[in-house]
Amino acid sequence: MKNRMDNMIHKAKVTFNKANAKMKEKIYTLTGTTAASVKEIADIIKNHPDIKVTKKDLLGLQFTFYEMELDGMYYYLEMKNSLILQVDVQTLNEKIIAYRSYRDKYSLQTPVKFTQLEKK
């Protein structure tokens, strides 16, 4: 039983690491750097040609939702006017980036550094 659990944990770690590496490569390809801020990631999502955009007017406030699935990665951005409320990047079940404006203390300009990604 312990071997089975260890095997499942190992597979989950491998899957997460692969997904994380894939996201790092995508960000590097799009930005040309091994780090990107939440704002830069949001801009990438917002300006991608394959993005699905939904606008809703709720209680007199305009919200815009951006969604896209690309190469096994799911991208989500939620904005109120020009304010970034939420940014998610994930694979099937693994979150790579999860930013929430109401709880995250760091600035939108704080870079998310991808130290394991090396320039080719």
Side-chain angles (χ1 to χ4, degrees), residues 10 63 92 109:
H10 176 71
F63 293 86
L92 291 175
Q109 302 302 330

Side-chain angles (χ1 to χ4, degrees), residues 51-116:
I51 201 77
K52 176 187 168 201
V53 180
T54 305
K55 293 186 180 203
K56 291 185 180 178
D57 195 38
L58 304 169
L59 300 173
L61 302 171
Q62 178 149 34
F63 293 86
T64 309
F65 307 91
Y66 301 85
E67 293 180 87
M68 174 176 62
E69 189 174 333
L70 181 67
D71 297 329
M73 301 290 288
Y74 174 75
Y75 302 85
Y76 179 81
L77 169 63
E78 182 178 319
M79 298 182 74
K80 180 179 83 174
N81 298 322
S82 62
L83 177 66
I84 297 170
L85 300 176
Q86 179 176 335
V87 176
D88 288 319
V89 179
Q90 67 185 44
T91 62
L92 291 175
N93 296 323
E94 300 292 333
K95 288 206 180 250
I96 308 300
I97 296 170
Y99 170 82
R100 305 292 184 273
S101 62
Y102 59 87
R103 73 160 187 234
D104 292 324
K105 305 281 190 254
Y106 54 87
S107 161
L108 289 173
Q109 302 302 330
T110 302
V112 178
K113 185 134 177 88
F114 304 119
T115 55
Q116 295 175 355

Side-chain angles (χ1 to χ4, degrees), residues 24 27-38 40-41 44 97 109-117:
K24 290 174 187 179
I27 289 174
Y28 180 77
T29 300
L30 294 169
T31 64
T33 182
T34 59
S37 68
V38 171
E40 288 172 325
I41 294 167
I44 291 167
I97 296 170
Q109 302 302 330
T110 302
V112 178
K113 185 134 177 88
F114 304 119
T115 55
Q116 295 175 355
L117 183 65

